[in-house]
Amino acid sequence: MEEFAPDTFGLLNAADYDATQDPGTTAQTVDFIYDLMEGSGRALELASGTGRITLPLAARGIEVTGIEGSQDMVDIMRAKPGGADIP
């Protein structure tokens, strides 16, 4: 594991993450979290990646803060609509 750094996952996966990591359950996941939060509140998403869950929740009015170790993943999220607004 000596060769694995906080940004390794992003370096290896950021470019095609959205295309390969949506198993068709993103909408259901966002719905579940939103319903669990009763449509309001604040959320902290660990390993927020390219914003696949973060951005749809924020678009629904949930105040989301993301934590991500890969700047490459964050850069992709920031380039999406609403991505620049996620702390």
Side-chain angles (χ1 to χ4, degrees):
M1 294 297 284
E2 293 175 19
E3 298 169 8
F4 196 86
D7 65 344
T8 300
F9 182 83
L11 290 170
L12 297 174
N13 297 287
D16 62 356
Y17 185 82
D18 288 340
T20 62
Q21 297 304 312
D22 183 356
T25 60
T26 298
Q28 293 93 332
T29 301
V30 171
D31 289 344
F32 176 78
I33 296 168
Y34 183 82
D35 292 345
L36 189 65
M37 297 183 71
E38 299 180 349
S40 66
R42 297 173 16 183
L44 174 64
E45 185 181 14
L46 305 175
S48 54
T50 61
R52 186 171 60 93
I53 304 298
T54 305
L55 294 174
L57 281 175
R60 290 188 180 191
I62 302 295
E63 184 182 337
V64 184
T65 298
I67 295 179
E68 175 55 56
S70 167
Q71 187 61 50
D72 292 326
M73 299 288 259
V74 172
D75 291 344
I76 290 171
M77 182 192 68
R78 294 265 184 256
K80 294 177 181 179
D85 299 328
I86 303 296

